[in-house]
Amino acid sequence: QCAPIQLVKTASTLFAKYPSLQVCIDHLGKPRTILGNDLLDDGSVNPNVTIDEAELKVWREGMTAMAKLPNVHVKLSMLGYTCPGWMRTKQRQEVLKSLVRETIELFGANRCMVAWNWHVNGAVSDADNMSQVGPDAVELLDKFVWFFEGYSDEDKDRLFAGTAKEFYRI
């Protein structure tokens, strides 16, 4: 597992040396809390929808470096790492959708996969315990369908199953 800052030089340099090693970046590359925490110190919902551009820049540099390596794949998972409380507002959902789509554009559907381990981490899928609000299983699946609007059926098949089958050889 790598954080965005590690993806820029360390991970991309290391994995470039081993092109036959299959690598999977988890949790969308972990751009952490780009809209801030879900709740403010007083317990009220954080209304912020302005992206932390410095955090986003580091994430983009790292993901761009890793996308250049054909042996690197990405799990579209644990979306709340990126945006705790993302289910609270349409604006937060739109921010997350744009990052998911940006990741797919960088890597291609043939190197991105939806990670679906709801039975294990459904309760923390929103934010690794940084938020108490998250989608249920059906809502999460519906959000992925919405994120992938406009993609071909072939790309959707790859995102939901095909890429994972190839990567994990199942």
Side-chain angles (χ1 to χ4, degrees):
Q1 295 184 3
C2 297
I5 193 68
Q6 296 168 314
L7 298 175
V8 179
K9 294 181 183 169
T10 309
S12 60
T13 301
L14 175 65
F15 297 132
K17 293 180 181 182
Y18 301 97
S20 63
L21 176 66
Q22 293 297 299
V23 176
C24 190
I25 299 169
D26 65 351
H27 313 327
L28 199 65
K30 296 180 185 171
R32 295 298 294 229
T33 60
I34 62 166
L35 295 176
N37 292 326
D38 180 29
L39 300 176
L40 300 175
D41 291 339
D42 66 5
S44 63
V45 174
N46 182 350
N48 180 43
V49 290
T50 303
I51 295 174
D52 179 338
E53 291 297 332
E55 179 71 18
L56 190 61
K57 181 178 186 271
V58 170
W59 175 78
R60 281 187 172 136
E61 288 174 1
M63 294 297 274
T64 299
M66 295 296 279
K68 292 177 183 174
L69 306 174
N71 56 319
V72 177
H73 296 68
V74 181
K75 284 184 186 178
L76 308 175
S77 60
M78 297 291 283
L79 303 176
Y81 277 156
T82 301
C83 184
W86 67 277
M87 285 294 291
R88 286 192 191 274
T89 69
K90 186 69 168 176
Q91 295 91 341
R92 285 179 171 253
Q93 292 172 32
E94 289 284 354
V95 167
L96 195 53
K97 178 180 181 178
S98 71
L99 293 176
V100 167
R101 293 179 71 90
E102 183 174 342
T103 300
I104 296 166
E105 295 307 311
L106 279 169
F107 287 84
N110 64 323
R111 293 195 293 145
C112 292
M113 61 189 100
V114 171
W116 190 262
N117 53 344
W118 190 258
H119 65 287
V120 175
N121 67 3
V124 297
S125 67
D126 185 51
D128 194 27
N129 295 314
M130 291 187 290
S131 174
Q132 299 304 313
V133 176
D136 64 31
V138 173
E139 289 173 319
L140 183 58
L141 182 57
D142 286 345
K143 291 303 175 191
F144 276 118
V145 169
W146 175 58
F147 293 165
F148 303 155
E149 282 179 350
Y151 286 110
S152 69
D153 287 344
E154 179 183 339
D155 282 349
K156 290 176 193 174
D157 287 346
R158 295 209 49 87
L159 292 164
F160 280 114
T163 299
K165 285 180 182 178
E166 286 179 12
F167 184 84
Y168 293 108
R169 297 182 182 118
I170 53 176

